[in-house]
Amino acid sequence: MASWSSDTPGSCDCFVSVPPASAIPAVIFAKNSDRPRAEVQEVVFVPAGTHAPGSRLQCTYIEVEQVPKTHAVILSRPSWLWGAEMGANEHGVCIGNEAVWTKEPVGEGEALLGMDLLRLGLERSSSALGALRVITDLLERYGQGGSCREDPAPFCYHNTFLLADRTEAWVLETAGRLWAAQRIQEGARNISNQLSISTDISAEHEELRTHALAQGWWGGQSTFDFAQVFSLAQQPVRMEAAKARFQAGQQLLRQQQGSITAEVMMGILRNKESGICMDSGGFRTTASMVSVLPRDPTQPCVHFLTATPDPSRSVFKPFIFGAGVAQAPQVLSPTFGAQDPVRTQPRFQTQVDRRHPLYLQHQEALGLMESEQVTLRES
């Protein structure tokens, strides 16, 4: 079982606003991806595709069966793996994920990563509810597991997800192969590195409560509270910090109820005082995303992605699905084929330079800004 350390990420936040919380008739989705400081996150466009019967699909660590048709997706992902931290598909479905630790043990055996499940949900569904069903079906069949960091020392966790489309949102929280989900039809909601679904459960794994009973975590007489039953009795320090950040996110959303826009969400993602915009120890916000999903199906969904670290020092670049859409090479990392450290056994024994052109230019610009600030202070 992977252990916690001071470098375990204490952040990652997802937000959604469903009318009437939004200032416009649209669902607005947002996420900060907080990852190891040196990790590069690329933005990848994958067109829709058709696949031969019986074909297989290689995810980060394991293969799964392919489906006959997959939808076009835009993904913001750590460049070493197959899945993604956040993304959207051509039907206006958006998903973000968070690391979570519960009473269920986290195994190091290789299975599907939460980021793989996220991408599979986007490629195989046309609604948030459909994506939830895809993810839970694959989770129950294949489980989740494997190192989530490009490092020889395994770092493993389970996942929570925020799924949204033009009409509603869902929170999906997992503990091993078990799960609970909550439907959000109006208002604003956020998730962080902790379980947050209490008694308002809209759907759940059929064995969720019997498993809790068998483990002695729930007596069966009181109201079933998923977060209370499955959360660790003694939270690690970093998870306690996540509670404060979750509460800060709730407050920021509450302050903007009825007037939430894409710009408001970008401001929340850039908020450093709360820790939502993270820069602490070996981790930082490596990429960010905001999506506007209009209720009117004739209007396009607009997705804004940074592809660079620290949203307070990055530009959100817009993307819209449409005819002629193609991959932007500036945000695509180099590939290393069979020699990639994620493919060779044992994994992650060497390091490669995954920085894409925009990342390099961003680093150069920040270096110039910082040197100018030093010069000004000295003068």
Side-chain angles (χ1 to χ4, degrees), residues 227-243:
Q228 185 179 72
V229 170
F230 277 84
S231 292
L232 291 165
Q234 184 174 354
Q235 302 280 19
V237 174
R238 286 278 186 168
M239 287 188 76
E240 289 296 333
K243 285 184 180 179

PDB file of all heavy atoms in Angstrom, residues 227-243:
ATOM      1  N   ALA A 227     -19.534   9.669   2.950  1.00  0.00           N
ATOM      2  CA  ALA A 227     -18.268  10.285   3.340  1.00  0.00           C
ATOM      3  C   ALA A 227     -17.881   9.897   4.760  1.00  0.00           C
ATOM      4  O   ALA A 227     -16.722   9.601   5.048  1.00  0.00           O
ATOM      5  CB  ALA A 227     -18.360  11.806   3.208  1.00  0.00           C
ATOM      6  N   GLN A 228     -18.850   9.866   5.654  1.00  0.00           N
ATOM      7  CA  GLN A 228     -18.569   9.521   7.042  1.00  0.00           C
ATOM      8  C   GLN A 228     -18.172   8.060   7.182  1.00  0.00           C
ATOM      9  O   GLN A 228     -17.231   7.718   7.914  1.00  0.00           O
ATOM     10  CB  GLN A 228     -19.801   9.811   7.896  1.00  0.00           C
ATOM     11  CG  GLN A 228     -19.592   9.614   9.389  1.00  0.00           C
ATOM     12  CD  GLN A 228     -20.850   9.946  10.174  1.00  0.00           C
ATOM     13  OE1 GLN A 228     -21.837   9.212  10.136  1.00  0.00           O
ATOM     14  NE2 GLN A 228     -20.832  11.079  10.849  1.00  0.00           N
ATOM     15  N   VAL A 229     -18.832   7.193   6.461  1.00  0.00           N
ATOM     16  CA  VAL A 229     -18.581   5.754   6.582  1.00  0.00           C
ATOM     17  C   VAL A 229     -17.246   5.360   5.964  1.00  0.00           C
ATOM     18  O   VAL A 229     -16.502   4.544   6.533  1.00  0.00           O
ATOM     19  CB  VAL A 229     -19.729   4.951   5.932  1.00  0.00           C
ATOM     20  CG1 VAL A 229     -19.375   3.463   5.817  1.00  0.00           C
ATOM     21  CG2 VAL A 229     -21.020   5.128   6.728  1.00  0.00           C
ATOM     22  N   PHE A 230     -16.885   5.935   4.810  1.00  0.00           N
ATOM     23  CA  PHE A 230     -15.708   5.482   4.073  1.00  0.00           C
ATOM     24  C   PHE A 230     -14.465   6.332   4.274  1.00  0.00           C
ATOM     25  O   PHE A 230     -13.375   5.925   3.871  1.00  0.00           O
ATOM     26  CB  PHE A 230     -16.031   5.373   2.576  1.00  0.00           C
ATOM     27  CG  PHE A 230     -16.696   4.081   2.202  1.00  0.00           C
ATOM     28  CD1 PHE A 230     -18.070   3.926   2.338  1.00  0.00           C
ATOM     29  CD2 PHE A 230     -15.960   2.999   1.748  1.00  0.00           C
ATOM     30  CE1 PHE A 230     -18.696   2.728   2.011  1.00  0.00           C
ATOM     31  CE2 PHE A 230     -16.567   1.788   1.420  1.00  0.00           C
ATOM     32  CZ  PHE A 230     -17.939   1.660   1.553  1.00  0.00           C
ATOM     33  N   SER A 231     -14.590   7.515   4.877  1.00  0.00           N
ATOM     34  CA  SER A 231     -13.404   8.337   5.115  1.00  0.00           C
ATOM     35  C   SER A 231     -12.536   7.723   6.204  1.00  0.00           C
ATOM     36  O   SER A 231     -13.031   7.064   7.127  1.00  0.00           O
ATOM     37  CB  SER A 231     -13.808   9.754   5.522  1.00  0.00           C
ATOM     38  OG  SER A 231     -14.414  10.438   4.453  1.00  0.00           O
ATOM     39  N   LEU A 232     -11.226   7.953   6.102  1.00  0.00           N
ATOM     40  CA  LEU A 232     -10.305   7.473   7.118  1.00  0.00           C
ATOM     41  C   LEU A 232     -10.630   8.090   8.474  1.00  0.00           C
ATOM     42  O   LEU A 232     -10.940   9.285   8.561  1.00  0.00           O
ATOM     43  CB  LEU A 232      -8.869   7.826   6.727  1.00  0.00           C
ATOM     44  CG  LEU A 232      -8.302   7.081   5.509  1.00  0.00           C
ATOM     45  CD1 LEU A 232      -7.051   7.767   5.007  1.00  0.00           C
ATOM     46  CD2 LEU A 232      -8.012   5.635   5.859  1.00  0.00           C
ATOM     47  N   ALA A 233     -10.530   7.282   9.527  1.00  0.00           N
ATOM     48  CA  ALA A 233     -10.822   7.782  10.875  1.00  0.00           C
ATOM     49  C   ALA A 233      -9.824   8.853  11.291  1.00  0.00           C
ATOM     50  O   ALA A 233     -10.173   9.850  11.919  1.00  0.00           O
ATOM     51  CB  ALA A 233     -10.808   6.630  11.868  1.00  0.00           C
ATOM     52  N   GLN A 234      -8.551   8.641  10.918  1.00  0.00           N
ATOM     53  CA  GLN A 234      -7.515   9.622  11.215  1.00  0.00           C
ATOM     54  C   GLN A 234      -6.937  10.108   9.900  1.00  0.00           C
ATOM     55  O   GLN A 234      -6.211   9.394   9.223  1.00  0.00           O
ATOM     56  CB  GLN A 234      -6.413   9.010  12.090  1.00  0.00           C
ATOM     57  CG  GLN A 234      -5.355  10.016  12.510  1.00  0.00           C
ATOM     58  CD  GLN A 234      -4.354   9.422  13.484  1.00  0.00           C
ATOM     59  OE1 GLN A 234      -4.509   8.290  13.938  1.00  0.00           O
ATOM     60  NE2 GLN A 234      -3.324  10.188  13.828  1.00  0.00           N
ATOM     61  N   GLN A 235      -7.283  11.317   9.542  1.00  0.00           N
ATOM     62  CA  GLN A 235      -6.870  11.865   8.256  1.00  0.00           C
ATOM     63  C   GLN A 235      -5.407  12.297   8.293  1.00  0.00           C
ATOM     64  O   GLN A 235      -4.962  12.890   9.282  1.00  0.00           O
ATOM     65  CB  GLN A 235      -7.731  13.084   7.905  1.00  0.00           C
ATOM     66  CG  GLN A 235      -9.218  12.794   7.835  1.00  0.00           C
ATOM     67  CD  GLN A 235      -9.624  12.140   6.524  1.00  0.00           C
ATOM     68  OE1 GLN A 235      -8.807  11.592   5.811  1.00  0.00           O
ATOM     69  NE2 GLN A 235     -10.888  12.209   6.213  1.00  0.00           N
ATOM     70  N   PRO A 236      -4.647  12.033   7.246  1.00  0.00           N
ATOM     71  CA  PRO A 236      -3.286  12.583   7.157  1.00  0.00           C
ATOM     72  C   PRO A 236      -3.343  14.110   7.128  1.00  0.00           C
ATOM     73  O   PRO A 236      -4.369  14.701   6.793  1.00  0.00           O
ATOM     74  CB  PRO A 236      -2.762  12.026   5.828  1.00  0.00           C
ATOM     75  CG  PRO A 236      -3.632  10.847   5.535  1.00  0.00           C
ATOM     76  CD  PRO A 236      -4.971  11.184   6.099  1.00  0.00           C
ATOM     77  N   VAL A 237      -2.217  14.721   7.474  1.00  0.00           N
ATOM     78  CA  VAL A 237      -2.158  16.178   7.546  1.00  0.00           C
ATOM     79  C   VAL A 237      -2.594  16.818   6.242  1.00  0.00           C
ATOM     80  O   VAL A 237      -3.349  17.790   6.219  1.00  0.00           O
ATOM     81  CB  VAL A 237      -0.731  16.637   7.921  1.00  0.00           C
ATOM     82  CG1 VAL A 237      -0.624  18.152   7.863  1.00  0.00           C
ATOM     83  CG2 VAL A 237      -0.377  16.135   9.311  1.00  0.00           C
ATOM     84  N   ARG A 238      -2.143  16.264   5.127  1.00  0.00           N
ATOM     85  CA  ARG A 238      -2.462  16.860   3.829  1.00  0.00           C
ATOM     86  C   ARG A 238      -3.963  16.806   3.543  1.00  0.00           C
ATOM     87  O   ARG A 238      -4.503  17.683   2.891  1.00  0.00           O
ATOM     88  CB  ARG A 238      -1.697  16.151   2.706  1.00  0.00           C
ATOM     89  CG  ARG A 238      -0.208  16.495   2.670  1.00  0.00           C
ATOM     90  CD  ARG A 238       0.016  17.801   1.951  1.00  0.00           C
ATOM     91  NE  ARG A 238       1.432  18.093   1.776  1.00  0.00           N
ATOM     92  CZ  ARG A 238       1.888  19.050   0.984  1.00  0.00           C
ATOM     93  NH1 ARG A 238       1.062  19.807   0.305  1.00  0.00           N
ATOM     94  NH2 ARG A 238       3.178  19.277   0.877  1.00  0.00           N
ATOM     95  N   MET A 239      -4.642  15.757   4.001  1.00  0.00           N
ATOM     96  CA  MET A 239      -6.081  15.671   3.766  1.00  0.00           C
ATOM     97  C   MET A 239      -6.841  16.651   4.651  1.00  0.00           C
ATOM     98  O   MET A 239      -7.895  17.160   4.275  1.00  0.00           O
ATOM     99  CB  MET A 239      -6.579  14.243   3.972  1.00  0.00           C
ATOM    100  CG  MET A 239      -6.164  13.309   2.849  1.00  0.00           C
ATOM    101  SD  MET A 239      -6.923  11.680   2.968  1.00  0.00           S
ATOM    102  CE  MET A 239      -8.584  12.015   2.414  1.00  0.00           C
ATOM    103  N   GLU A 240      -6.281  16.917   5.852  1.00  0.00           N
ATOM    104  CA  GLU A 240      -6.888  17.953   6.686  1.00  0.00           C
ATOM    105  C   GLU A 240      -6.780  19.301   5.997  1.00  0.00           C
ATOM    106  O   GLU A 240      -7.697  20.125   6.041  1.00  0.00           O
ATOM    107  CB  GLU A 240      -6.208  17.982   8.056  1.00  0.00           C
ATOM    108  CG  GLU A 240      -6.527  16.787   8.939  1.00  0.00           C
ATOM    109  CD  GLU A 240      -7.999  16.715   9.322  1.00  0.00           C
ATOM    110  OE1 GLU A 240      -8.665  17.765   9.360  1.00  0.00           O
ATOM    111  OE2 GLU A 240      -8.492  15.597   9.579  1.00  0.00           O
ATOM    112  N   ALA A 241      -5.640  19.546   5.333  1.00  0.00           N
ATOM    113  CA  ALA A 241      -5.469  20.792   4.593  1.00  0.00           C
ATOM    114  C   ALA A 241      -6.460  20.871   3.432  1.00  0.00           C
ATOM    115  O   ALA A 241      -6.953  21.952   3.097  1.00  0.00           O
ATOM    116  CB  ALA A 241      -4.037  20.901   4.076  1.00  0.00           C
ATOM    117  N   ALA A 242      -6.766  19.711   2.841  1.00  0.00           N
ATOM    118  CA  ALA A 242      -7.718  19.694   1.732  1.00  0.00           C
ATOM    119  C   ALA A 242      -9.108  20.115   2.194  1.00  0.00           C
ATOM    120  O   ALA A 242      -9.865  20.718   1.434  1.00  0.00           O
ATOM    121  CB  ALA A 242      -7.767  18.308   1.094  1.00  0.00           C
ATOM    122  N   LYS A 243      -9.445  19.810   3.453  1.00  0.00           N
ATOM    123  CA  LYS A 243     -10.745  20.231   3.990  1.00  0.00           C
ATOM    124  C   LYS A 243     -10.881  21.747   3.966  1.00  0.00           C
ATOM    125  O   LYS A 243     -11.914  22.294   3.566  1.00  0.00           O
ATOM    126  CB  LYS A 243     -10.925  19.719   5.417  1.00  0.00           C
ATOM    127  CG  LYS A 243     -11.224  18.242   5.535  1.00  0.00           C
ATOM    128  CD  LYS A 243     -11.477  17.883   6.991  1.00  0.00           C
ATOM    129  CE  LYS A 243     -11.789  16.408   7.146  1.00  0.00           C
ATOM    130  NZ  LYS A 243     -12.024  16.052   8.563  1.00  0.00           N
TER     131      LYS A 243
END
